[in-house]
Amino acid sequence: MNINVNGESHNVPENCSAKALVEMLNMQNDKIAMEVNREIVPRSQYDVFTLNENDQIEIVRAIGGG
Amino acid sequence: MNDSFTVAGKTYQSRLLVGTGKYKDMYQTKAAVEASGAEIVTVAIRRTNLGQNPGEANLLDTLPADKYTYLPNTAGCYNADDAVRTCRLARELLDGHNLVKLEVLGDEKTLLPNVAQTYLAAETLIKEDFDVMVYTNDDPIAAKRFEEMGCVAVMPLAAPIGSGLGIQNPYNILTIIENANVPILVDAGVGTASDAALAMELGCDGILMNTAIAGAKDPVLMASAMKKATEAGREAFLAGRIPRKRYASASSPVDGLFF
């Protein structure tokens, strides 16, 4: 199924979990936060949170800024 | 003399807070931040790069949590909703850390704050138990309102972000300080060491800067200068300066003149 991650379209398996997505993106060791359809999914729930077709996902991190 | 300052229930020795943006690389970021002596550092919240090189240096590893207090900012937000959304993501990212720097901008050219939207964002964030350090203009009325809403610190700008113009409105900053019951930190527009010293001489509790250090020809040296300037300005404030006088007042006695 197609989902949108950080403005880009991605194809992922049906019933893909947030955890699986993070691993697919090789971010499992990074300090990140995730929003799915504008709702934050806590890190503790990545393994039980299932993604759906056309979900709009934002994954953010901390970078240098003033 | 213990001259620490406390904000959001935590006490710090350094009154200089620094941003982490605009540096050449992580090595320079780390060296400059260390030279500044800062304990609180601002960070920005942005999308991860999906094709990211896994070996790429990471800001939070460069400036570890056991040494620094992070102050995630809402830079780039032009409305309250985006600012609130950014803070919520920052808190999730930083494991429940409640301290945030709220900034809601009004204009791309001046980066001056949209104070009306900032009020709205502050109200929501405070209800959600964030500890809000709020970037605002040098309007004493706005500053007081932010304090009364429950912001843990108010941060009036010296001049536009990155402008290096230094304090444009010292009397307004002074009025804000005199009327405040929360820490007042000058944030934005500092250019060089004397600007930092001046802010502290006015009685600010602290000062926050990014471009003044990162944009200097020698950022690490400027960071050191800023550390000293912040300390010097603070000591001068505590020491109680002489008044400004219209006419001279001789430093040597007149008695005992031999001509």
Side-chain angles (χ1 to χ4, degrees):
Chain A
M1 60 176 180
N2 279 325
I3 56 171
N4 189 295
V5 183
N6 288 358
E8 290 173 13
S9 198
H10 284 252
N11 201 281
V12 298
E14 295 283 331
N15 298 319
C16 181
S17 68
K19 177 166 189 260
L21 175 64
V22 168
E23 284 166 357
M24 245 179 265
L25 297 169
N26 203 17
M27 290 178 186
Q28 61 275 16
N29 297 319
D30 298 339
K31 220 163 172 66
I32 56 171
M34 186 192 297
E35 251 188 11
V36 176
N37 302 329
R38 305 283 294 253
E39 296 277 334
I40 292 179
V41 179
R43 259 203 304 288
S44 57
Q45 289 177 26
Y46 284 177
D47 52 351
V48 299
F49 189 93
T50 310
L51 302 174
N52 295 306
E53 175 92 39
N54 291 328
D55 273 349
Q56 303 292 303
I57 297 164
E58 294 290 344
I59 302 180
V60 298
R61 59 182 171 141
I63 61 164
Chain B
M1 175 183 69
N2 180 11
D3 184 38
S4 57
F5 101 99
T6 300
V7 63
K10 198 167 164 195
T11 299
Y12 303 90
Q13 299 309 311
S14 170
R15 292 172 178 273
L16 174 58
L17 289 64
V18 298
T20 54
K22 291 177 160 177
Y23 285 103
K24 191 173 69 175
D25 53 37
M26 286 300 167
Y27 299 108
Q28 196 184 64
T29 307
K30 184 177 161 77
V33 172
E34 280 177 4
S36 75
E39 294 165 281
I40 300 174
V41 297
T42 62
V43 301
I45 306 297
R46 294 286 180 268
R47 282 175 168 171
T48 57
N49 290 326
L50 296 187
Q52 194 172 355
N53 170 13
E56 194 181 54
N58 174 291
L59 182 70
L60 302 186
D61 291 335
T62 302
L63 301 172
D66 57 355
K67 216 179 147 197
Y68 295 98
T69 297
Y70 302 126
L71 184 56
N73 69 23
T74 64
C77 294
Y78 286 79
N79 62 64
D81 284 343
D82 289 344
V84 170
R85 194 175 159 200
T86 302
C87 289
R88 289 174 182 150
L89 280 163
R91 182 155 67 178
E92 162 62 18
L93 176 65
L94 297 172
D95 306 311
H97 184 65
N98 285 317
L99 192 67
V100 292
K101 169 177 158 174
L102 171 63
E103 54 185 292
V104 185
L105 307 177
D107 169 68
E108 270 182 39
K109 197 164 174 183
T110 63
L111 297 182
L112 289 171
N114 178 330
V115 179
Q117 285 289 304
T118 312
Y119 288 144
L120 294 177
E123 207 182 319
T124 304
L125 291 169
I126 289 163
K127 268 201 210 106
E128 294 182 12
D129 290 323
F130 284 93
D131 293 324
V132 179
M133 297 179 71
V134 59
Y135 160 77
T136 179
N137 58 20
D138 51 21
D139 171 4
I141 309 297
K144 195 62 183 171
R145 183 158 164 195
F146 282 118
E147 174 188 313
E148 285 163 349
M149 290 172 85
C151 292
V152 299
V154 176
M155 307 203 293
L157 55 84
I161 294 170
S163 69
L165 291 171
I167 293 182
Q168 293 298 288
N169 229 333
Y171 289 105
N172 274 24
I173 304 287
L174 195 54
T175 302
I176 291 172
I177 292 166
E178 285 168 352
N179 286 299
N181 295 310
V182 292
I184 301 298
L185 292 84
V186 158
D187 174 19
V190 170
T192 189
S194 47
D195 299 329
L198 177 54
M200 298 310 291
E201 286 166 24
L202 290 171
C204 285
D205 294 280
I207 183 155
L208 201 163
M209 63 181 72
N210 191 149
T211 308
I213 296 176
K217 290 197 177 60
D218 184 340
V220 177
L221 189 56
M222 184 57 87
S224 166
M226 290 298 188
K227 176 176 194 279
K228 291 170 179 158
T230 305
E231 288 167 2
R234 179 66 181 168
E235 283 187 6
F237 171 72
L238 293 173
R241 62 159 296 155
I242 55 168
R244 290 179 171 87
K245 281 162 127 172
R246 177 73 175 83
Y247 292 109
S249 161
S251 301
S252 305
V254 173
D255 274 4
L257 282 173
F258 50 90
F259 41 75

